[in-house]
């Protein structure tokens, strides 16, 4: 029954850098706006953060769930710009959507989001845990391996996954296996895919790595950044329910806009979809601009047709 609340007109509680709020109970009852620049953590029991509906409570520090604790963020204005860190076997529940504009949400346990889902316009979604609810990455990136590139992880999404034109996904390959993004619903792909190798792993020709599974897959990554492999070349293979990386003997072709090893109708569709004097506006990559002049037009079409498989 511990509570920190505001009575009457709205008030703002600032948890400053270097300060900690720790324990169980309720933070933000009534008309309280919470601005966290330090640490808020639940080491045991449940801590409820109850932000004001008409205000915006912001995390610019760290919110951490550890040991035997859990955190519930009730309905109301809330945005993450810092770090939300959920330890293995622990849970954070958000009523409504969880908005992130920068920082990181590290899910090694379980993140449960309500209507609207997890909406990311910046920062990173990482971890070896599970997100229950829809995930929309319209900026920033997703990485099952965390920000430092290790260890290899598997991030599960119980819901749909949508990666927009300015979103990204980072996948690591290593001796212990490879990162996997597991989606129970449909996956809509776009934006960038970055592939990294974890030393001392060296892929060989013929190896395949399943990096994403979903009930259905629509779209393709707009561009792919591959590491320098000692032998062979990476290409992306899109299936109806999975995306694989395959190590091939043939180098990628510039006009292979969907990175599937063939220049054909799907690549033409990508090029025509970006046609104009302002191609791929605000996107993180624009592979259809084959001649690099900032325009997708006849010259780019000629390059693609000249490379037709």
């Amino acid at each position: 029954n511990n509570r920190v609340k505001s009575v009457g007109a709205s008030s703002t509680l600032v948890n400053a850098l270097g300060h900690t709020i720790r324990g169980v109970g309720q933070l933000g009852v009534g008309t309280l706006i919470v601005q966290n620049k330090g640490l808020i953590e639940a080491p045991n029991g449940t801590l409820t953060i109850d932000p004001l509906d008409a205000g915006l409570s912001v995390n610019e520090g760290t919110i951490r769930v550890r040991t035997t604790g859990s955190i519930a963020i009730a309905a109301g204005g809330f945005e993450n710009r810092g770090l939300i860190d959920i330890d293995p076997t622990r849970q954070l529940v958000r009523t409504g959507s969880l908005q992130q504009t920068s920082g990181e949400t590290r899910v090694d346990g379980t993140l449960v989001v309500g209507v609207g889902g997890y909406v990311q316009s910046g920062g990173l979604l990482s971890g070896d845990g599970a997100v229950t609810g829809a995930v929309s990455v319209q900026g920033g990136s997703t990485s099952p391996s965390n920000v430092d590139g290790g260890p290899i992880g598997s991030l599960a999404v119980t819901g749909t996954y949508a990666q927009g034109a300015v979103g990204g996904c980072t996948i690591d390959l290593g001796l212990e296996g490879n990162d996997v993004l597991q989606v129970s619903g449909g996956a809509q792909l776009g934006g960038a895919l970055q592939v990294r190798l974890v030393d001392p792993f060296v892929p060989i020709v013929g190896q395949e790595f399943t990096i994403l599974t979903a009930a259905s897959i629509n779209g393709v990554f707009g561009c792919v950044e591959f590491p320098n492999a000692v032998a062979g070349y990476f290409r992306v293979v899109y299936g109806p329910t999975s995306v694989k990386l395959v190590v091939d003997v043939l180098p990628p072709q510039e006009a292979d806009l969907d990175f599937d090893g063939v220049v054909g109708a799907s690549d033409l569709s990508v090029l025509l979809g970006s046609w104009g004097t302002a191609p791929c506006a605000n996107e993180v990559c624009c592979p259809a601009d084959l001649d690099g002049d900032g325009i997708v037009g006849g010259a780019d079409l000629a390059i693609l047709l000249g490379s037709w498989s």
Side-chain angles (χ1 to χ4, degrees), residues 1-25:
N1 294 320
N2 300 314
R3 297 183 177 184
V4 177
K5 62 184 293 184
S6 174
V7 178
S10 65
S11 302
T12 300
L13 170 66
V14 178
N15 186 41
L17 181 67
H19 291 247
T20 298
I21 296 174
R22 177 186 294 116
V24 299

Side-chain angles (χ1 to χ4, degrees), residues 149-218:
I152 297 295
S154 175
L155 182 62
V157 176
T158 305
T160 58
Y161 178 84
Q163 182 171 307
V166 294
C169 180
T170 300
I171 295 293
D172 289 345
L173 314 178
L175 292 173
E176 299 177 356
N178 61 274
D179 288 344
V180 183
L181 183 60
Q182 299 175 314
V183 183
S184 69
Q188 179 68 47
L189 303 182
L193 169 66
Q194 181 188 26
V195 181
R196 304 185 298 194
L197 298 181
V198 179
D199 287 338
F201 176 67
V202 177
I204 59 175
V205 171
Q207 280 189 291
E208 296 184 359
F209 308 90
T210 299
I211 61 172
L212 187 149
T213 61
S216 63
I217 294 174
N218 294 293

Side-chain angles (χ1 to χ4, degrees), residues 227-301:
N228 293 322
V230 175
Y233 303 91
F234 286 104
R235 63 183 175 92
V236 184
V237 177
Y238 296 93
T241 60
S242 67
V243 178
K244 295 181 179 180
L245 294 177
V246 176
V247 185
D248 204 343
V249 294
L250 298 175
Q253 301 181 71
E254 183 183 22
D256 181 13
L257 304 182
D258 61 1
F259 309 97
D260 65 353
V262 178
V263 178
S266 61
D267 304 294
L268 178 60
S269 177
V270 173
L271 188 144
L272 294 178
S274 302
W275 196 273
T277 57
C280 315
N282 299 318
E283 297 185 12
V284 295
C285 49
C286 190
D289 183 14
L290 294 171
D291 61 0
D293 64 355
I295 298 172
V296 175
D300 304 294
L301 179 59

